[in-house]
Amino acid sequence: MTQTVLDKLGGEDALRELVEHFYDLVEARPEGAQIVRLHMDGHGLAATRAQQFNFLCGFFGGRQYYKELHGHMNVKLIHEHIPILQKDAEDWLTLMDRALADLGHSGAHVERIRATLRRVALVLVNDGEVVGADSKRLANS
């Protein structure tokens, strides 16, 4: 039987630890300040932690919790209302890289995770243009 990325990370418990550590970094590090602001315009970080786990679990080959709750896993649709700049995506990726490293995740599967997350994050960059918005977000808002 082929192992999923989730299996290679250590299962749901390891993924939950990764998500929690990632958001601890988001809340503590300067690179996370804008990410925090963006989430506070939504459901807040507690809800985001849970939804990130739900999404990544399915994304990494485990149970599709996010899809079960929301009916899809379309990342563009999920983020279409959020003004995301290149710097926001890079900051998110920097903090996820650090979370993976801090928890000792390494190997070819982790490099594939990093590459995949980079592709997804960069697809979400919309230069502040969001669905339902009349104007662009200022880079330093």
Side-chain angles (χ1 to χ4, degrees), residues 123-135:
V123 162
L124 299 178
V125 172
N126 57 26
D127 295 327
E129 295 289 341
V130 297
V131 171
D134 293 329
S135 62

Side-chain angles (χ1 to χ4, degrees), residues 3-136:
Q3 278 194 315
T4 66
V5 172
L6 182 62
D7 294 331
K8 291 176 182 179
L9 276 176
E12 287 190 15
D13 289 341
L15 177 60
R16 191 172 311 282
E17 181 182 31
L18 175 63
V19 169
E20 291 300 321
H21 185 60
F22 168 75
Y23 280 104
D24 289 347
L25 291 172
V26 166
E27 291 186 272
R29 304 283 306 158
E31 307 95 297
Q34 182 61 20
I35 297 167
V36 169
R37 280 192 290 279
L38 291 172
H39 285 96
M40 292 318 209
D41 286 342
H43 300 290
L45 284 178
T48 300
R49 286 173 186 255
Q51 292 303 322
Q52 186 77 81
F53 169 82
N54 289 341
F55 182 85
L56 288 177
C57 192
F59 190 72
F60 291 159
R63 183 167 170 186
Q64 303 275 317
Y65 295 113
Y66 191 92
K67 188 173 184 179
E68 290 171 16
L69 290 167
H70 302 284
H72 69 87
M73 289 193 41
N74 181 327
V75 293
K76 287 287 279 183
L77 181 61
I78 294 166
H79 294 88
E80 71 181 359
H81 66 286
I82 303 169
I84 300 172
L85 303 177
Q86 179 80 27
K87 182 175 182 344
D88 303 330
E90 294 295 342
D91 288 344
W92 192 100
L93 290 164
T94 295
L95 292 169
M96 182 55 78
D97 284 348
R98 179 163 177 180
L100 286 162
D102 284 355
L103 296 177
H105 294 290
S106 62
H109 68 286
V110 174
E111 294 313 310
R112 283 192 299 280
I113 288 170
R114 285 185 168 114
T116 300
L117 291 176
R118 172 161 287 284
R119 282 192 304 276
V120 172
L122 296 179
V123 162
L124 299 178
V125 172
N126 57 26
D127 295 327
E129 295 289 341
V130 297
V131 171
D134 293 329
S135 62
K136 286 182 125 180

